[in-house]
Amino acid sequence: MTQANNPLHGIKLETIVTQLVEKYGWEELGSRINIQCFKDNPSVKSTLKFLRKTPWARDKVEYLYLKANKLPLPPPKEDSRGSFASKARPAKGKAISTKAVSVNTSSNKTVPNKAASPQASSDKTTAGPAAPVNADIWGSSSN
């Protein structure tokens, strides 16, 4: 197998963590990647132990390393639940209500359609006898 397209080929995880700590520090790493091993009593040894057991955390650390060193970024990986990590997750909380809007039909006001011209409405009244509604579907009853 060739690793020609893998920018992390030959780079140890220890080297990645050490360089990120030198560049950002533990506190900044903890704020950039929300992992407890960066926040609570951090050390390279405990971080390596956690990252080797936790693939999602390792992916985040490797991604940050690639971004920090301006190396080519990998395509998004599919996570263990079968969805892509780059997909937006649905918002938690209340569901959006789909209530029907009630229309007040008690008023007898008619609002003229601004899009229709007055000439078009007069053409309809002088065109002759009106065809029954849906005459093209049901046929005319004047047979």
Side-chain angles (χ1 to χ4, degrees):
M1 236 189 248
T2 180
Q3 292 285 325
N5 295 328
N6 185 356
L8 294 173
H9 179 66
I11 302 174
K12 293 181 179 182
L13 185 59
E14 182 178 6
T15 306
I16 292 172
V17 171
T18 305
Q19 286 184 6
L20 287 175
V21 170
E22 287 173 2
K23 183 170 186 162
Y24 297 112
W26 291 110
E27 192 172 311
E28 177 69 19
L29 276 175
S31 66
R32 287 180 180 259
I33 304 173
N34 190 14
I35 300 175
Q36 195 64 28
C37 67
F38 290 155
K39 296 178 179 181
D40 184 33
N41 196 15
S43 71
V44 174
K45 185 177 178 181
S46 66
T47 301
L48 291 175
K49 186 175 180 180
F50 176 75
L51 293 177
R52 287 185 180 125
K53 292 181 181 180
T54 317
W56 62 266
R58 183 177 183 152
D59 289 342
K60 288 185 178 194
V61 170
E62 288 175 347
Y63 184 82
L64 179 62
Y65 176 79
L66 292 173
K67 272 185 88 172
N69 292 312
K70 297 181 181 168
L71 296 172
L73 300 175
K77 292 184 177 181
E78 192 171 332
D79 67 6
S80 62
R81 294 172 291 199
S83 63
F84 290 101
S86 63
K87 284 186 182 177
R89 294 184 181 179
K92 292 182 181 179
K94 294 181 181 179
I96 297 173
S97 131
T98 56
K99 292 180 183 177
V101 177
S102 62
V103 178
N104 186 2
T105 57
S106 63
S107 67
N108 291 332
K109 293 181 182 178
T110 57
V111 179
N113 187 356
K114 292 181 181 179
S117 65
Q119 187 179 26
S121 63
S122 64
D123 289 343
K124 290 179 185 176
T125 58
T126 60
V133 178
N134 295 332
D136 57 331
I137 299 172
W138 303 105
S140 62
S141 60
S142 62
N143 287 358

